Amino acid sequence: MGLLSAVVAAGGMLLFLFLARQVGLLPGLLAFFAVLAASIDRLLLLGNGWLRRRVEAKLKSLGELPQHHAGRFVGLAHPCYLDHLSRRMAETDDDIGFLTIGPAGLQYRGDAISFNIAADQVEDVRLVRSPHAPWERVEVRIRDGEPFDAVIFDSRNAGSHRACRRDSRKLYQQLRAMAWIAAPAGETVRLTAPANEGERVDAR
């Protein structure tokens, strides 16, 4: 999504300059924002459907996914790479795949990596943002550091960016509920409160 975001931004600037020359600065600015608002929601996920079908077909052919599955299509990012600008210019995620959540934990089957995390190993679930992905994503911190210290999930389960943001919120609530129920006896699960309206939460 990173490269596409840059392309959309550049295209939007060219559109604004064209409209400003044709109808004037203020009308051009208003028209620019109207066109941008109408198109960006879909443009940010251009090609997402093709990626989903490709990864799903690959995983089914390898026996990693059943023919009929209820996995949510997500992007996966590693927090340790959040500051790698060259890595993030082309894509906000490090992998894409299908996430399934159940009482026992979560299961991720991706294009490059696959893993399971037991519910009682989820130490924290929080919403994070970063400069290359300023919308809310879901960070899961893992108690024993296996297979990672933390991972970030971002829903790609819908055809529009706005619908994916709503689904990421739903994913956040599901993971918090799972971790709370499965918390080891005598231990407190550190479930960070969601960001308030207008509050910026930075991924570490």
Side-chain angles (χ1 to χ4, degrees), residues 15-179:
L15 175 62
F16 166 65
L17 292 174
F18 171 77
L19 290 172
R21 286 179 60 90
Q22 296 298 314
V23 298
L25 183 60
L26 183 57
L29 188 62
L30 294 174
F32 162 71
F33 280 118
V35 172
L36 190 64
S39 61
I40 198 169
D41 190 47
R42 296 278 175 176
L43 285 175
L44 284 174
L45 285 171
L46 189 66
N48 190 62
W50 175 83
L51 282 172
R52 176 178 184 142
R53 291 189 295 272
R54 183 185 68 79
V55 174
E56 186 172 33
K58 172 185 174 180
L59 292 172
K60 285 181 176 179
S61 71
L62 294 172
E64 291 286 321
L65 276 183
Q67 288 302 311
H68 302 286
H69 67 93
R72 174 191 269 111
F73 190 51
V74 298
L76 180 148
H78 299 294
C80 61
Y81 296 130
L82 289 183
D83 296 328
H84 289 219
L85 182 61
S86 59
R87 188 178 184 124
R88 293 301 174 214
M89 284 299 290
E91 182 55 77
T92 57
D93 299 316
D94 297 299
D95 194 33
I96 48 175
F98 293 89
L99 178 68
T100 305
I101 303 169
L106 61 90
Q107 179 187 82
Y108 177 80
R109 296 294 177 264
D111 187 37
I113 56 174
S114 295
F115 57 84
N116 298 337
I117 300 173
D120 61 4
Q121 290 302 302
V122 175
E123 182 180 52
D124 190 18
V125 181
R126 64 180 187 148
L127 294 171
V128 296
R129 297 189 181 104
S130 56
H132 61 275
W135 55 88
E136 291 176 337
R137 300 191 294 171
V138 185
E139 182 182 84
V140 177
R141 300 195 68 81
I142 303 161
R143 193 179 305 277
D144 63 2
E146 292 294 335
F148 311 104
D149 291 331
V151 289
I152 294 173
F153 294 115
D154 189 14
S155 176
R156 292 185 173 215
N157 208 46
S160 78
H161 199 253
R162 183 179 302 174
C164 285
R165 303 290 60 78
R166 288 195 299 266
D167 193 52
S168 283
R169 270 279 177 164
K170 184 177 179 180
L171 170 61
Y172 167 72
Q173 297 294 345
Q174 290 174 339
L175 287 169
R176 281 171 62 91
M178 179 199 74

